[in-house]
PDB file of all heavy atoms in Angstrom:
ATOM      1  N   ALA A  60     -29.298 -14.396 -42.604  1.00  0.00           N
ATOM      2  CA  ALA A  60     -28.044 -14.820 -43.013  1.00  0.00           C
ATOM      3  C   ALA A  60     -26.897 -14.280 -42.118  1.00  0.00           C
ATOM      4  O   ALA A  60     -27.152 -13.170 -41.442  1.00  0.00           O
ATOM      5  CB  ALA A  60     -27.731 -14.471 -44.420  1.00  0.00           C
ATOM      6  N   GLY A  61     -25.729 -14.822 -41.992  1.00  0.00           N
ATOM      7  CA  GLY A  61     -24.603 -14.290 -41.144  1.00  0.00           C
ATOM      8  C   GLY A  61     -23.650 -13.560 -41.784  1.00  0.00           C
ATOM      9  O   GLY A  61     -22.720 -13.051 -41.222  1.00  0.00           O
ATOM     10  N   ARG A  62     -23.794 -13.269 -43.145  1.00  0.00           N
ATOM     11  CA  ARG A  62     -22.957 -12.450 -43.898  1.00  0.00           C
ATOM     12  C   ARG A  62     -23.522 -11.721 -45.074  1.00  0.00           C
ATOM     13  O   ARG A  62     -24.511 -12.308 -45.714  1.00  0.00           O
ATOM     14  CB  ARG A  62     -21.688 -13.339 -44.466  1.00  0.00           C
ATOM     15  CG  ARG A  62     -20.547 -12.629 -45.070  1.00  0.00           C
ATOM     16  CD  ARG A  62     -19.527 -13.575 -45.335  1.00  0.00           C
ATOM     17  NE  ARG A  62     -18.211 -12.925 -45.610  1.00  0.00           N
ATOM     18  CZ  ARG A  62     -17.885 -12.298 -46.794  1.00  0.00           C
ATOM     19  NH1 ARG A  62     -18.734 -12.212 -47.782  1.00  0.00           N
ATOM     20  NH2 ARG A  62     -16.716 -11.611 -46.881  1.00  0.00           N
ATOM     21  N   HIS A  63     -23.104 -10.529 -45.281  1.00  0.00           N
ATOM     22  CA  HIS A  63     -23.774  -9.783 -46.485  1.00  0.00           C
ATOM     23  C   HIS A  63     -23.156 -10.318 -47.794  1.00  0.00           C
ATOM     24  O   HIS A  63     -21.902 -10.744 -47.850  1.00  0.00           O
ATOM     25  CB  HIS A  63     -23.372  -8.329 -46.394  1.00  0.00           C
ATOM     26  CG  HIS A  63     -23.901  -7.561 -47.594  1.00  0.00           C
ATOM     27  ND1 HIS A  63     -25.119  -7.345 -47.828  1.00  0.00           N
ATOM     28  CD2 HIS A  63     -23.226  -6.959 -48.633  1.00  0.00           C
ATOM     29  CE1 HIS A  63     -25.282  -6.537 -48.968  1.00  0.00           C
ATOM     30  NE2 HIS A  63     -24.021  -6.339 -49.412  1.00  0.00           N
ATOM     31  N   ASP A  64     -23.828 -10.356 -48.936  1.00  0.00           N
ATOM     32  CA  ASP A  64     -23.431 -10.991 -50.154  1.00  0.00           C
ATOM     33  C   ASP A  64     -23.805  -9.856 -51.191  1.00  0.00           C
ATOM     34  O   ASP A  64     -24.981  -9.773 -51.607  1.00  0.00           O
ATOM     35  CB  ASP A  64     -24.230 -12.276 -50.483  1.00  0.00           C
ATOM     36  CG  ASP A  64     -23.662 -12.875 -51.886  1.00  0.00           C
ATOM     37  OD1 ASP A  64     -22.874 -12.179 -52.537  1.00  0.00           O
ATOM     38  OD2 ASP A  64     -23.973 -13.995 -52.220  1.00  0.00           O
ATOM     39  N   ARG A  65     -22.791  -9.192 -51.567  1.00  0.00           N
ATOM     40  CA  ARG A  65     -22.982  -8.004 -52.484  1.00  0.00           C
ATOM     41  C   ARG A  65     -23.347  -8.520 -53.913  1.00  0.00           C
ATOM     42  O   ARG A  65     -23.629  -7.738 -54.829  1.00  0.00           O
ATOM     43  CB  ARG A  65     -21.805  -7.109 -52.485  1.00  0.00           C
ATOM     44  CG  ARG A  65     -20.574  -7.739 -52.955  1.00  0.00           C
ATOM     45  CD  ARG A  65     -19.294  -6.779 -52.755  1.00  0.00           C
ATOM     46  NE  ARG A  65     -18.104  -7.507 -53.382  1.00  0.00           N
ATOM     47  CZ  ARG A  65     -17.814  -7.452 -54.634  1.00  0.00           C
ATOM     48  NH1 ARG A  65     -18.458  -6.812 -55.527  1.00  0.00           N
ATOM     49  NH2 ARG A  65     -16.638  -8.067 -54.963  1.00  0.00           N
ATOM     50  N   HIS A  66     -23.233  -9.806 -54.171  1.00  0.00           N
ATOM     51  CA  HIS A  66     -23.578 -10.257 -55.458  1.00  0.00           C
ATOM     52  C   HIS A  66     -25.098 -10.727 -55.566  1.00  0.00           C
ATOM     53  O   HIS A  66     -25.568 -11.173 -56.655  1.00  0.00           O
ATOM     54  CB  HIS A  66     -22.711 -11.629 -55.884  1.00  0.00           C
ATOM     55  CG  HIS A  66     -21.304 -11.176 -55.881  1.00  0.00           C
ATOM     56  ND1 HIS A  66     -20.698 -10.611 -56.939  1.00  0.00           N
ATOM     57  CD2 HIS A  66     -20.279 -11.269 -54.980  1.00  0.00           C
ATOM     58  CE1 HIS A  66     -19.372 -10.290 -56.685  1.00  0.00           C
ATOM     59  NE2 HIS A  66     -19.179 -10.813 -55.442  1.00  0.00           N
ATOM     60  N   ARG A  67     -25.756 -10.691 -54.487  1.00  0.00           N
ATOM     61  CA  ARG A  67     -27.197 -10.942 -54.570  1.00  0.00           C
ATOM     62  C   ARG A  67     -28.070  -9.675 -54.766  1.00  0.00           C
ATOM     63  O   ARG A  67     -27.533  -8.589 -54.577  1.00  0.00           O
ATOM     64  CB  ARG A  67     -27.575 -11.594 -53.152  1.00  0.00           C
ATOM     65  CG  ARG A  67     -26.947 -12.923 -52.871  1.00  0.00           C
ATOM     66  CD  ARG A  67     -27.435 -13.668 -51.566  1.00  0.00           C
ATOM     67  NE  ARG A  67     -28.813 -13.763 -51.672  1.00  0.00           N
ATOM     68  CZ  ARG A  67     -29.394 -14.923 -51.943  1.00  0.00           C
ATOM     69  NH1 ARG A  67     -28.798 -16.015 -52.273  1.00  0.00           N
ATOM     70  NH2 ARG A  67     -30.766 -15.044 -51.855  1.00  0.00           N
ATOM     71  N   PRO A  68     -29.253  -9.834 -55.166  1.00  0.00           N
ATOM     72  CA  PRO A  68     -30.082  -8.576 -55.175  1.00  0.00           C
ATOM     73  C   PRO A  68     -30.054  -7.833 -54.035  1.00  0.00           C
ATOM     74  O   PRO A  68     -30.032  -8.309 -52.911  1.00  0.00           O
ATOM     75  CB  PRO A  68     -31.584  -9.131 -55.544  1.00  0.00           C
ATOM     76  CG  PRO A  68     -31.295 -10.569 -56.162  1.00  0.00           C
ATOM     77  CD  PRO A  68     -30.008 -11.081 -55.447  1.00  0.00           C
ATOM     78  N   GLY A  69     -30.144  -6.548 -54.112  1.00  0.00           N
ATOM     79  CA  GLY A  69     -29.978  -5.624 -53.066  1.00  0.00           C
ATOM     80  C   GLY A  69     -28.817  -4.715 -53.159  1.00  0.00           C
ATOM     81  O   GLY A  69     -28.186  -4.453 -54.212  1.00  0.00           O
ATOM     82  N   LEU A  70     -28.287  -4.301 -51.973  1.00  0.00           N
ATOM     83  CA  LEU A  70     -27.098  -3.397 -51.989  1.00  0.00           C
ATOM     84  C   LEU A  70     -25.909  -4.127 -52.355  1.00  0.00           C
ATOM     85  O   LEU A  70     -25.455  -5.100 -51.920  1.00  0.00           O
ATOM     86  CB  LEU A  70     -26.891  -2.872 -50.547  1.00  0.00           C
ATOM     87  CG  LEU A  70     -25.782  -1.951 -50.225  1.00  0.00           C
ATOM     88  CD1 LEU A  70     -26.015  -0.595 -50.903  1.00  0.00           C
ATOM     89  CD2 LEU A  70     -25.452  -1.901 -48.784  1.00  0.00           C
ATOM     90  N   ASN A  71     -25.111  -3.535 -53.396  1.00  0.00           N
ATOM     91  CA  ASN A  71     -23.847  -3.920 -53.764  1.00  0.00           C
ATOM     92  C   ASN A  71     -22.755  -3.279 -52.943  1.00  0.00           C
ATOM     93  O   ASN A  71     -21.965  -3.940 -52.350  1.00  0.00           O
ATOM     94  CB  ASN A  71     -23.616  -3.776 -55.246  1.00  0.00           C
ATOM     95  CG  ASN A  71     -22.189  -4.135 -55.698  1.00  0.00           C
ATOM     96  OD1 ASN A  71     -21.287  -3.374 -55.811  1.00  0.00           O
ATOM     97  ND2 ASN A  71     -22.102  -5.442 -55.952  1.00  0.00           N
ATOM     98  N   HIS A  72     -22.796  -1.908 -52.896  1.00  0.00           N
ATOM     99  CA  HIS A  72     -21.776  -1.199 -52.124  1.00  0.00           C
ATOM    100  C   HIS A  72     -22.261   0.213 -51.845  1.00  0.00           C
ATOM    101  O   HIS A  72     -23.144   0.826 -52.549  1.00  0.00           O
ATOM    102  CB  HIS A  72     -20.476  -1.217 -52.786  1.00  0.00           C
ATOM    103  CG  HIS A  72     -20.367  -0.499 -54.114  1.00  0.00           C
ATOM    104  ND1 HIS A  72     -20.751  -0.956 -55.242  1.00  0.00           N
ATOM    105  CD2 HIS A  72     -19.748   0.781 -54.376  1.00  0.00           C
ATOM    106  CE1 HIS A  72     -20.437  -0.125 -56.245  1.00  0.00           C
ATOM    107  NE2 HIS A  72     -19.855   1.056 -55.515  1.00  0.00           N
ATOM    108  N   LEU A  73     -21.586   0.953 -51.025  1.00  0.00           N
ATOM    109  CA  LEU A  73     -21.690   2.341 -50.820  1.00  0.00           C
ATOM    110  C   LEU A  73     -20.475   3.049 -51.271  1.00  0.00           C
ATOM    111  O   LEU A  73     -19.495   2.552 -51.109  1.00  0.00           O
ATOM    112  CB  LEU A  73     -21.810   2.594 -49.270  1.00  0.00           C
ATOM    113  CG  LEU A  73     -23.027   1.961 -48.508  1.00  0.00           C
ATOM    114  CD1 LEU A  73     -22.970   2.279 -46.966  1.00  0.00           C
ATOM    115  CD2 LEU A  73     -24.394   2.631 -49.107  1.00  0.00           C
ATOM    116  N   ALA A  74     -20.665   4.111 -52.067  1.00  0.00           N
ATOM    117  CA  ALA A  74     -19.358   4.976 -52.466  1.00  0.00           C
ATOM    118  C   ALA A  74     -19.506   6.282 -51.891  1.00  0.00           C
ATOM    119  O   ALA A  74     -20.556   6.883 -51.873  1.00  0.00           O
ATOM    120  CB  ALA A  74     -19.555   4.916 -53.994  1.00  0.00           C
ATOM    121  N   PHE A  75     -18.343   6.772 -51.487  1.00  0.00           N
ATOM    122  CA  PHE A  75     -18.309   8.048 -50.856  1.00  0.00           C
ATOM    123  C   PHE A  75     -17.238   8.971 -51.573  1.00  0.00           C
ATOM    124  O   PHE A  75     -16.197   8.394 -51.947  1.00  0.00           O
ATOM    125  CB  PHE A  75     -17.760   7.915 -49.366  1.00  0.00           C
ATOM    126  CG  PHE A  75     -18.712   7.202 -48.441  1.00  0.00           C
ATOM    127  CD1 PHE A  75     -18.651   5.841 -48.276  1.00  0.00           C
ATOM    128  CD2 PHE A  75     -19.739   7.830 -47.760  1.00  0.00           C
ATOM    129  CE1 PHE A  75     -19.527   5.110 -47.465  1.00  0.00           C
ATOM    130  CE2 PHE A  75     -20.714   7.219 -47.002  1.00  0.00           C
ATOM    131  CZ  PHE A  75     -20.487   5.809 -46.808  1.00  0.00           C
ATOM    132  N   HIS A  76     -17.625  10.244 -51.693  1.00  0.00           N
ATOM    133  CA  HIS A  76     -16.709  11.259 -52.201  1.00  0.00           C
ATOM    134  C   HIS A  76     -15.545  11.428 -51.201  1.00  0.00           C
ATOM    135  O   HIS A  76     -15.831  11.445 -50.012  1.00  0.00           O
ATOM    136  CB  HIS A  76     -17.328  12.539 -52.408  1.00  0.00           C
ATOM    137  CG  HIS A  76     -18.383  12.589 -53.660  1.00  0.00           C
ATOM    138  ND1 HIS A  76     -17.849  12.653 -54.913  1.00  0.00           N
ATOM    139  CD2 HIS A  76     -19.582  12.631 -53.550  1.00  0.00           C
ATOM    140  CE1 HIS A  76     -18.848  12.793 -55.662  1.00  0.00           C
ATOM    141  NE2 HIS A  76     -20.049  12.675 -54.954  1.00  0.00           N
ATOM    142  N   VAL A  77     -14.356  11.548 -51.637  1.00  0.00           N
ATOM    143  CA  VAL A  77     -13.260  11.851 -50.789  1.00  0.00           C
ATOM    144  C   VAL A  77     -12.576  13.030 -51.456  1.00  0.00           C
ATOM    145  O   VAL A  77     -12.530  13.130 -52.647  1.00  0.00           O
ATOM    146  CB  VAL A  77     -12.318  10.736 -50.585  1.00  0.00           C
ATOM    147  CG1 VAL A  77     -11.020  10.977 -49.800  1.00  0.00           C
ATOM    148  CG2 VAL A  77     -13.063   9.487 -50.016  1.00  0.00           C
ATOM    149  N   GLU A  78     -11.938  13.954 -50.701  1.00  0.00           N
ATOM    150  CA  GLU A  78     -11.335  15.177 -51.159  1.00  0.00           C
ATOM    151  C   GLU A  78     -10.498  15.016 -52.334  1.00  0.00           C
ATOM    152  O   GLU A  78     -10.729  15.736 -53.359  1.00  0.00           O
ATOM    153  CB  GLU A  78     -10.563  15.867 -50.045  1.00  0.00           C
ATOM    154  CG  GLU A  78     -10.092  17.192 -50.488  1.00  0.00           C
ATOM    155  CD  GLU A  78      -9.413  17.981 -49.302  1.00  0.00           C
ATOM    156  OE1 GLU A  78      -9.662  17.517 -48.075  1.00  0.00           O
ATOM    157  OE2 GLU A  78      -8.694  18.873 -49.536  1.00  0.00           O
ATOM    158  N   ASP A  79      -9.602  14.177 -52.271  1.00  0.00           N
ATOM    159  CA  ASP A  79      -8.556  13.963 -53.421  1.00  0.00           C
ATOM    160  C   ASP A  79      -7.898  12.603 -53.228  1.00  0.00           C
ATOM    161  O   ASP A  79      -8.151  11.807 -52.432  1.00  0.00           O
ATOM    162  CB  ASP A  79      -7.505  15.118 -53.389  1.00  0.00           C
ATOM    163  CG  ASP A  79      -6.652  15.195 -52.076  1.00  0.00           C
ATOM    164  OD1 ASP A  79      -6.411  14.128 -51.318  1.00  0.00           O
ATOM    165  OD2 ASP A  79      -6.289  16.256 -51.795  1.00  0.00           O
ATOM    166  N   ASP A  80      -7.031  12.300 -54.193  1.00  0.00           N
ATOM    167  CA  ASP A  80      -6.292  11.022 -54.362  1.00  0.00           C
ATOM    168  C   ASP A  80      -5.478  10.701 -53.118  1.00  0.00           C
ATOM    169  O   ASP A  80      -5.456   9.568 -52.608  1.00  0.00           O
ATOM    170  CB  ASP A  80      -5.573  10.773 -55.598  1.00  0.00           C
ATOM    171  CG  ASP A  80      -4.608  11.906 -56.013  1.00  0.00           C
ATOM    172  OD1 ASP A  80      -4.439  12.924 -55.299  1.00  0.00           O
ATOM    173  OD2 ASP A  80      -4.037  11.652 -57.031  1.00  0.00           O
ATOM    174  N   ALA A  81      -4.861  11.738 -52.474  1.00  0.00           N
ATOM    175  CA  ALA A  81      -4.103  11.554 -51.371  1.00  0.00           C
ATOM    176  C   ALA A  81      -4.903  11.127 -50.146  1.00  0.00           C
ATOM    177  O   ALA A  81      -4.497  10.322 -49.325  1.00  0.00           O
ATOM    178  CB  ALA A  81      -3.253  12.859 -51.000  1.00  0.00           C
ATOM    179  N   GLU A  82      -6.054  11.622 -50.111  1.00  0.00           N
ATOM    180  CA  GLU A  82      -6.950  11.267 -48.882  1.00  0.00           C
ATOM    181  C   GLU A  82      -7.461   9.839 -49.195  1.00  0.00           C
ATOM    182  O   GLU A  82      -7.808   9.200 -48.236  1.00  0.00           O
ATOM    183  CB  GLU A  82      -8.077  12.306 -48.780  1.00  0.00           C
ATOM    184  CG  GLU A  82      -9.036  12.178 -47.744  1.00  0.00           C
ATOM    185  CD  GLU A  82      -8.392  12.350 -46.209  1.00  0.00           C
ATOM    186  OE1 GLU A  82      -7.118  12.632 -46.224  1.00  0.00           O
ATOM    187  OE2 GLU A  82      -9.133  12.343 -45.319  1.00  0.00           O
ATOM    188  N   VAL A  83      -7.736   9.460 -50.423  1.00  0.00           N
ATOM    189  CA  VAL A  83      -8.223   8.121 -50.731  1.00  0.00           C
ATOM    190  C   VAL A  83      -7.119   7.210 -50.197  1.00  0.00           C
ATOM    191  O   VAL A  83      -7.443   6.240 -49.600  1.00  0.00           O
ATOM    192  CB  VAL A  83      -8.397   7.951 -52.241  1.00  0.00           C
ATOM    193  CG1 VAL A  83      -8.506   6.387 -52.571  1.00  0.00           C
ATOM    194  CG2 VAL A  83      -9.688   8.668 -52.732  1.00  0.00           C
ATOM    195  N   ASP A  84      -5.840   7.437 -50.575  1.00  0.00           N
ATOM    196  CA  ASP A  84      -4.730   6.683 -50.095  1.00  0.00           C
ATOM    197  C   ASP A  84      -4.701   6.447 -48.588  1.00  0.00           C
ATOM    198  O   ASP A  84      -4.463   5.441 -48.009  1.00  0.00           O
ATOM    199  CB  ASP A  84      -3.407   7.112 -50.660  1.00  0.00           C
ATOM    200  CG  ASP A  84      -3.405   6.947 -52.178  1.00  0.00           C
ATOM    201  OD1 ASP A  84      -4.101   6.193 -52.856  1.00  0.00           O
ATOM    202  OD2 ASP A  84      -2.420   7.746 -52.782  1.00  0.00           O
TER     203      ASP A  84
END
Side-chain angles (χ1 to χ4, degrees):
R62 188 174 197 281
H63 177 71
D64 183 350
R65 64 186 180 82
H66 297 283
R67 296 182 59 97
L70 178 73
N71 178 267
H72 70 279
L73 296 173
F75 295 95
H76 288 283
V77 175
E78 184 176 343
D79 57 29
D80 53 357
E82 186 68 356
V83 168
D84 293 342

